[in-house]
Amino acid sequence: MQQERNLYYPYSEYLKKKYGEKVYKLPVNLPVSCPNRQGGREGCAFCSPLGTGFEAADSSVSVSGQLALDRERIERKYHAHKFIAYFQNYTNTFLPLQQFSAYMKEAAETADIVELAVSTRPDCIREDYLDVLEDLHQKKGVEITVELGLQTPNYHTLAAVGRGHTLAEFIDGVLRVRCYGFDVCAHVILNLPGDDLSDAVECAKILSALGVQVVKAHSLYIARGTRLCKAYENGTIALCDKEEYLERTAAFLDHLDPSIAVERLFARAPEDDVVFCNWGTSWWKLRDELEEKMGLGGHFQGRCFSYLDGAALES
């Protein structure tokens, strides 16, 4: 089997090139919700009422306090010296601008924080919020990454899971962030009910055409207490099997620009909080199976990256 670095471009390598050493994310949980949960809306069908910040401390703890707690653990385990403040849970730009600015400033002024990574929805990107991040970049020297959830380019699937936006908002969000020169990390799910292999390929092509720097792909996990959980338990949705997911992931990577760093390819979630995750297999075993499949099948990131820049024109 080929080594991982030959199959796809790992995010850890991307960070090492960027900062000259290993860098680790420290998750931060802010007291914020999501516009898709306002006005009687229930949020995305796959989103737990607790959001996705299960690795972070309680939002009642200050930003600097959360960073200090996580840093102590990571520093002791990995001997790390540089860190990313990762605002992970819910929609972090869905805050009053002044409050958003204060949280970002507190993180930027914390020792050894070299980057702010701000996770949000593509329909919650506005220039005054980006101006706050640009000001911190200029004055505090921190790098900026904005993490945007696309999930799928298929607008039928986006509507079915109640995502509340389409591909257009994602394109708009990426273009606005890129105007500032910030990195973009796109979040995608390659096995949402209703999607197939062609959606995975189209997703890779769209991310490549938009020039994002990082992608975080997830295998769908079904959290308790979600609309998707009810549908799964009622048998009204069908999930692809493990082999199909590996096939989609290999095809996704085949079509992905080889300069895009891959942060994740499989979900990670607490077992007690889900009814389905990774076909009952650990994520690292799935990774090994994927790498074996890619090695045997001649797959590698960028293998089919030949569709941009007037590809249909004769030379």
Side-chain angles (χ1 to χ4, degrees):
M1 183 179 20
Q2 299 180 52
Q3 296 298 310
E4 178 183 350
R5 62 178 176 274
N6 295 326
L7 299 176
Y8 51 89
Y9 180 25
Y11 178 62
S12 57
E13 184 178 321
Y14 175 79
L15 289 179
K16 197 169 183 179
K17 286 182 179 179
K18 188 174 181 180
Y19 294 110
E21 62 183 275
K22 286 189 175 182
V23 180
Y24 292 85
K25 279 186 166 180
L26 305 178
V28 182
N29 192 11
L30 296 183
V32 64
S33 183
C34 170
N36 208 24
R37 292 176 177 269
Q38 305 299 303
R41 287 175 289 185
E42 298 179 276
C44 302
F46 54 78
C47 187
S48 165
L50 300 176
T52 58
F54 53 84
E55 295 177 318
D58 190 272
S59 62
S60 62
V61 180
S62 69
V63 168
S64 57
Q66 291 184 57
L67 291 172
L69 288 170
D70 285 321
R71 173 183 176 147
E72 181 181 0
R73 175 177 56 87
I74 296 295
E75 195 169 29
R76 183 173 59 250
K77 186 174 182 179
Y78 299 108
H79 307 289
H81 305 290
K82 293 180 180 179
F83 304 92
I84 297 170
Y86 179 28
F87 294 90
Q88 177 183 13
N89 206 18
Y90 294 122
T91 304
N92 287 280
T93 56
F94 191 58
L95 282 166
L97 184 62
Q98 190 173 9
Q99 190 177 4
F100 173 79
S101 178
Y103 286 134
M104 296 301 117
K105 185 173 183 289
E106 184 177 354
E109 291 178 342
T110 300
D112 299 322
I113 293 296
V114 296
E115 180 176 313
L116 306 181
V118 182
S119 182
T120 190
R121 288 171 57 90
D123 54 0
C124 289
I125 294 294
R126 206 171 63 197
E127 280 150 10
D128 47 353
Y129 288 79
L130 295 174
D131 287 339
V132 166
L133 297 173
E134 173 63 14
D135 185 62
L136 291 172
H137 171 64
Q138 294 295 333
K139 292 180 178 177
K140 305 298 180 182
V142 291
E143 297 298 319
I144 304 295
T145 294
V146 178
E147 304 205 3
L148 298 176
L150 169 60
Q151 314 312 348
T152 174
N154 186 324
Y155 65 91
H156 296 291
T157 303
L158 288 172
V161 299
R163 182 65 186 163
H165 69 77
T166 67
L167 176 60
E169 289 90 330
F170 178 77
I171 293 172
D172 176 66
V174 171
L175 294 179
R176 291 182 186 279
V177 173
R178 297 296 293 128
C179 284
Y180 286 76
F182 303 153
D183 279 4
V184 174
C185 173
H187 290 224
V188 298
I189 301 172
L190 299 180
N191 63 323
L192 282 168
D195 277 5
D196 58 23
L197 186 143
S198 65
D199 295 298
V201 169
E202 185 66 9
C203 187
K205 295 173 78 171
I206 287 169
L207 299 184
S208 299
L210 288 172
V212 307
Q213 285 70 40
V214 183
V215 62
K216 185 185 286 185
H218 299 257
S219 47
L220 177 67
Y221 68 82
I222 300 179
R224 299 184 189 278
T226 62
R227 299 200 310 283
L228 209 60
C229 178
K230 294 178 183 178
Y232 177 73
E233 292 178 334
N234 292 337
T236 55
I237 59 168
L239 302 181
C240 75
D241 61 25
K242 181 179 69 172
E243 287 305 314
E244 169 67 15
Y245 183 79
L246 296 178
E247 188 69 31
R248 293 185 194 185
T249 306
F252 174 82
L253 291 170
D254 278 344
H255 290 83
L256 190 68
D257 182 341
S259 71
I260 297 175
V262 178
E263 184 171 353
R264 183 174 292 180
L265 292 170
F266 302 99
R268 303 178 199 181
E271 291 184 10
D272 293 343
D273 297 339
V274 299
V275 295
F276 173 86
C277 184
N278 291 338
W279 301 271
T281 305
S282 63
W283 70 266
W284 60 88
K285 288 183 179 179
L286 285 176
R287 179 197 59 194
D288 291 345
E289 288 185 42
L290 173 66
E291 291 179 8
E292 182 176 15
K293 179 182 184 66
M294 292 179 70
L296 293 173
H299 300 277
F300 57 89
Q301 184 176 343
R303 182 174 72 93
C304 301
F305 182 57
S306 58
Y307 45 83
L308 300 179
D309 194 24
L313 293 174
E314 296 181 4
S315 58

